Amino acid sequence: SWRGQEVPLDEAIVRATDTDAYINRRYSRQNNLESVCLYIAYGVKPRDLMPHRPEVCYTGSGWTLMDRNSAELPLSDGMKLPCSTFQFSRGALNTKKVVLLDYYIVDGEYCGDVSLLRSKAWRGAGAIRYVAQVQVVASVTTNLTADSAARVVSAFAAESAPLIRRLFESAEESQPSDDGRSDANSTLGGTGSG
């Protein structure tokens, strides 16, 4: 029931994230009463994705962390999606609030934070074939409370996670490029920065 559209991402942000490819889309349903932004950063260099965590990047951009929770969402394929949900606010008089759900896919395995990414990175070069960071964000508005926004990002994440994981499995199965890596940009439809 979600309808999506591409959202252009500022080139300065793309360069700052050091990703090999990304997806940035807005999805809505119920006549736009429920809306989320989906951002997926794909990389083969874990050291480039590990520092770009919501609690680092959002607070570094002027947002205040109000709340953080960990959860495991049940998925339609019987798996569980470990994830972290954050609530950020910004501004004094006209306060903006967002709820952000974040998780990683490391070589086809879901992870709610960077712990799996770090443990595989410590094993040495070649231990990680790919990593993706997935963020689902909803703005808190007069029509959507923080609790409602948390339910919306959780519902979207649970519905989309198996599809996103299959997308990366397809990227891995694609033919390697001249440098021996999968051509993530063409498979994911994203724009690479490096």
Side-chain angles (χ1 to χ4, degrees):
S1 62
W2 295 95
R3 294 186 178 269
Q5 66 183 44
E6 296 294 326
V7 177
L9 194 58
D10 186 304
E11 275 302 312
I13 294 172
V14 173
R15 283 191 303 277
T17 61
D18 294 321
T19 56
D20 293 322
Y22 71 90
I23 295 172
N24 196 47
R25 295 180 60 89
R26 176 178 301 281
Y27 287 89
S28 60
R29 68 179 180 183
Q30 296 183 359
N31 292 325
N32 295 325
L33 290 176
E34 294 181 349
S35 176
V36 299
C37 292
L38 170 69
Y39 174 73
I40 304 172
Y42 172 89
V44 291
K45 295 174 272 187
R47 72 176 190 278
D48 292 339
L49 286 180
M50 278 192 277
H52 298 289
R53 300 183 312 274
E55 64 270 31
V56 174
C57 292
Y58 269 72
T59 56
S61 296
W63 292 85
T64 301
L65 178 60
M66 304 299 291
D67 193 24
R68 178 183 183 167
N69 295 299
S70 296
E72 284 194 348
L73 304 176
L75 303 179
S76 61
D77 60 5
M79 297 183 75
K80 298 266 187 192
L81 177 65
C83 57
S84 297
T85 305
F86 302 83
Q87 183 179 339
F88 292 99
S89 69
R90 181 182 208 165
L93 296 176
N94 203 3
T95 303
K96 296 180 184 178
K97 292 182 182 176
V98 296
V99 174
L100 181 149
L101 184 142
D102 181 69
Y103 68 92
Y104 294 83
I105 303 173
V106 182
D107 293 338
E109 190 175 343
Y110 298 120
C111 186
D113 56 30
V114 295
S115 59
L116 178 61
L117 186 55
R118 284 183 178 144
S119 69
K120 284 192 166 200
W122 283 109
R123 294 182 200 154
I128 297 178
R129 294 183 324 275
Y130 76 88
V131 61
Q133 180 183 29
V134 180
Q135 295 182 354
V136 181
V137 182
S139 295
V140 176
T141 64
T142 53
N143 296 329
L144 198 63
T145 66
D147 288 340
S148 298
R151 283 192 295 276
V152 170
V153 297
S154 295
F156 183 88
E159 288 179 46
S160 64
L163 300 170
I164 293 169
R165 192 180 78 189
R166 282 196 294 274
L167 175 69
F168 288 105
E169 289 169 358
S170 297
E172 278 297 294
E173 292 168 1
S174 69
Q175 294 295 326
S177 62
D178 291 343
D179 66 358
R181 295 191 331 204
S182 294
D183 186 357
N185 290 333
S186 64
T187 304
L188 299 179
T191 302
S193 63

